[in-house]
Coordinates of all heavy atoms in Angstrom, one line a residue:
D511 N -10.5 22.9 4.0 CA -11.0 23.3 5.3 C -12.0 24.5 5.2 O -12.1 25.0 4.0 CB -9.9 23.5 6.3 CG -9.3 24.9 6.3 OD1 -9.4 25.6 5.2 OD2 -8.7 25.3 7.3
D512 N -12.5 25.0 6.3 CA -13.5 26.0 6.2 C -12.9 27.4 5.8 O -13.6 28.3 5.4 CB -14.2 26.2 7.6 CG -14.9 24.9 8.0 OD1 -15.3 24.2 7.1 OD2 -15.0 24.7 9.2
N513 N -11.6 27.5 5.9 CA -10.9 28.8 5.6 C -10.4 28.8 4.1 O -9.7 29.8 3.8 CB -9.7 29.0 6.5 CG -10.2 29.1 8.0 OD1 -10.9 30.0 8.4 ND2 -9.8 28.0 8.8
V515 N -8.2 26.6 2.9 CA -6.8 26.0 2.8 C -7.0 24.5 2.5 O -7.9 23.8 3.0 CB -6.1 26.1 4.2 CG1 -4.8 25.4 4.2 CG2 -6.0 27.6 4.5
F516 N -6.2 24.0 1.6 CA -6.2 22.6 1.2 C -5.3 21.8 2.1 O -4.1 22.0 2.1 CB -5.8 22.5 -0.3 CG -6.0 21.1 -0.8 CD1 -7.3 20.6 -1.0 CD2 -5.0 20.3 -1.2 CE1 -7.5 19.3 -1.5 CE2 -5.2 19.0 -1.6 CZ -6.5 18.5 -1.8
I517 N -5.9 20.8 2.8 CA -5.2 19.9 3.6 C -5.1 18.6 2.9 O -6.1 18.1 2.4 CB -5.9 19.7 5.0 CG1 -6.4 21.1 5.6 CG2 -5.1 19.0 6.0 CD1 -5.2 22.0 5.9
K525 N -0.3 17.5 5.5 CA 0.3 18.8 5.1 C -0.8 19.8 4.7 O -2.0 19.4 4.6 CB 1.3 18.6 4.0 CG 2.5 17.8 4.3 CD 3.5 17.8 3.1 CE 4.8 17.2 3.5 NZ 5.8 17.3 2.4
Y526 N -0.4 21.1 4.6 CA -1.4 22.1 4.1 C -0.8 22.8 2.9 O 0.4 22.9 2.7 CB -1.7 23.1 5.3 CG -0.5 23.9 5.7 CD1 -0.1 25.1 5.1 CD2 0.3 23.5 6.8 CE1 1.0 25.8 5.5 CE2 1.4 24.2 7.2 CZ 1.7 25.4 6.6 OH 2.8 26.1 7.0
C527 N -1.7 23.4 2.1 CA -1.3 24.2 1.0 C -2.1 25.5 1.0 O -3.4 25.4 0.9 CB -1.5 23.4 -0.3 SG -1.1 24.4 -1.8
L528 N -1.5 26.6 1.1 CA -2.2 27.9 1.1 C -2.5 28.3 -0.4 O -1.9 27.8 -1.3 CB -1.4 29.0 1.7 CG -1.0 28.7 3.2 CD1 -0.1 29.9 3.7 CD2 -2.3 28.6 4.1
G534 N 3.4 23.3 4.3 CA 4.1 22.9 5.5 C 3.5 21.6 6.0 O 2.4 21.2 5.6
I536 N 1.8 19.4 9.0 CA 1.0 19.5 10.2 C 1.3 18.4 11.2 O 1.4 18.6 12.4 CB -0.5 19.5 9.8 CG1 -0.8 20.7 8.9 CG2 -1.4 19.5 11.0 CD1 -2.3 20.7 8.3
V548 N -12.5 18.0 6.7 CA -11.8 18.8 7.7 C -12.7 19.8 8.3 O -13.4 20.6 7.6 CB -10.6 19.6 7.1 CG1 -9.8 20.3 8.1 CG2 -9.6 18.6 6.4
G550 N -12.7 22.5 11.4 CA -11.9 23.1 12.5 C -10.6 22.4 12.7 O -9.8 22.4 11.7
N551 N -10.3 21.9 13.9 CA -9.1 21.2 14.2 C -9.2 19.7 14.1 O -8.3 19.0 14.5 CB -8.6 21.6 15.6 CG -8.1 23.0 15.7 OD1 -7.8 23.7 14.6 ND2 -8.1 23.6 16.9
I567 N -5.7 18.1 15.0 CA -4.5 18.8 14.6 C -4.4 20.2 15.2 O -5.4 20.7 15.7 CB -4.4 18.9 13.0 CG1 -5.6 19.7 12.5 CG2 -4.4 17.5 12.4 CD1 -5.5 20.0 11.0
D568 N -3.2 20.7 15.1 CA -2.9 22.1 15.5 C -2.9 22.9 14.3 O -1.9 22.8 13.5 CB -1.6 22.2 16.3 CG -1.4 23.6 16.8 OD1 -2.2 24.5 16.5 OD2 -0.3 23.8 17.4
A569 N -3.9 23.7 14.0 CA -4.0 24.5 12.8 C -3.4 25.9 12.9 O -3.5 26.7 12.0 CB -5.5 24.6 12.4
S570 N -2.7 26.2 14.0 CA -2.3 27.6 14.3 C -1.3 28.1 13.2 O -1.4 29.2 12.8 CB -1.6 27.6 15.7 OG -2.4 27.2 16.7
E571 N -0.4 27.2 12.8 CA 0.6 27.7 11.8 C 0.0 28.1 10.5 O 0.3 29.2 10.0 CB 1.7 26.6 11.6 CG 2.8 27.0 10.6 CD 3.8 25.9 10.4 OE1 4.1 25.2 11.3 OE2 4.2 25.8 9.2
Y572 N -0.8 27.3 9.9 CA -1.4 27.7 8.6 C -2.5 28.8 8.7 O -2.6 29.6 7.8 CB -1.8 26.5 7.8 CG -3.1 25.8 8.2 CD1 -4.3 26.4 7.8 CD2 -3.1 24.6 8.8 CE1 -5.5 25.7 8.2 CE2 -4.3 23.9 9.1 CZ -5.5 24.5 8.8 OH -6.7 23.8 9.1
I573 N -3.2 28.9 9.9 CA -4.1 30.0 10.0 C -3.4 31.3 10.2 O -3.8 32.3 9.7 CB -5.0 29.7 11.3 CG1 -5.9 28.5 11.0 CG2 -5.8 30.9 11.6 CD1 -6.9 28.6 9.9
F574 N -2.2 31.3 10.9 CA -1.4 32.4 11.0 C -0.9 32.9 9.7 O -0.9 34.1 9.3 CB -0.2 32.1 11.9 CG 0.8 33.2 12.1 CD1 0.5 34.3 13.0 CD2 2.0 33.2 11.4 CE1 1.5 35.3 13.1 CE2 2.9 34.2 11.6 CZ 2.7 35.2 12.5
K575 N -0.4 32.0 8.8 CA 0.1 32.4 7.5 C -1.0 32.8 6.6 O -0.8 33.8 5.8 CB 0.9 31.2 6.9 CG 2.1 30.8 7.6 CD 2.8 29.6 6.9 CE 4.1 29.2 7.6 NZ 4.8 28.1 7.0
L576 N -2.2 32.2 6.7 CA -3.3 32.6 5.9 C -3.8 34.0 6.3 O -4.1 34.8 5.4 CB -4.5 31.6 6.1 CG -5.7 31.9 5.3 CD1 -5.4 31.8 3.8 CD2 -6.9 31.0 5.7
S577 N -3.7 34.4 7.6 CA -4.0 35.7 8.0 C -3.1 36.8 7.5 O -3.5 37.9 7.1 CB -4.1 35.8 9.6 OG -5.0 34.9 10.1
L578 N -1.8 36.4 7.4 CA -0.8 37.3 6.8 C -1.1 37.5 5.3 O -1.0 38.6 4.8 CB 0.6 36.7 7.0 CG 1.3 36.9 8.3 CD1 2.6 36.2 8.4 CD2 1.6 38.4 8.6
M589 N -3.0 36.3 17.5 CA -2.4 35.0 17.6 C -1.1 35.0 18.2 O -0.7 34.1 18.9 CB -2.4 34.4 16.2 CG -3.7 34.0 15.5 SD -3.6 33.1 14.0 CE -2.9 31.5 14.6
L595 N 2.6 30.0 19.0 CA 3.5 30.1 17.8 C 4.9 30.5 18.2 O 5.1 31.5 18.9 CB 2.9 31.1 16.8 CG 1.8 30.6 15.9 CD1 1.2 31.8 15.1 CD2 2.3 29.6 14.9

Side-chain angles (χ1 to χ4, degrees):
D511 84 338
D512 302 330
N513 300 292
V515 177
F516 187 67
I517 313 298
K525 294 187 171 184
Y526 64 85
C527 177
L528 298 178
I536 297 174
V548 181
N551 291 340
I567 61 172
D568 182 2
S570 301
E571 181 180 322
Y572 74 78
I573 294 297
F574 177 78
K575 293 181 179 179
L576 182 66
S577 299
L578 280 174
M589 291 188 69
L595 280 172

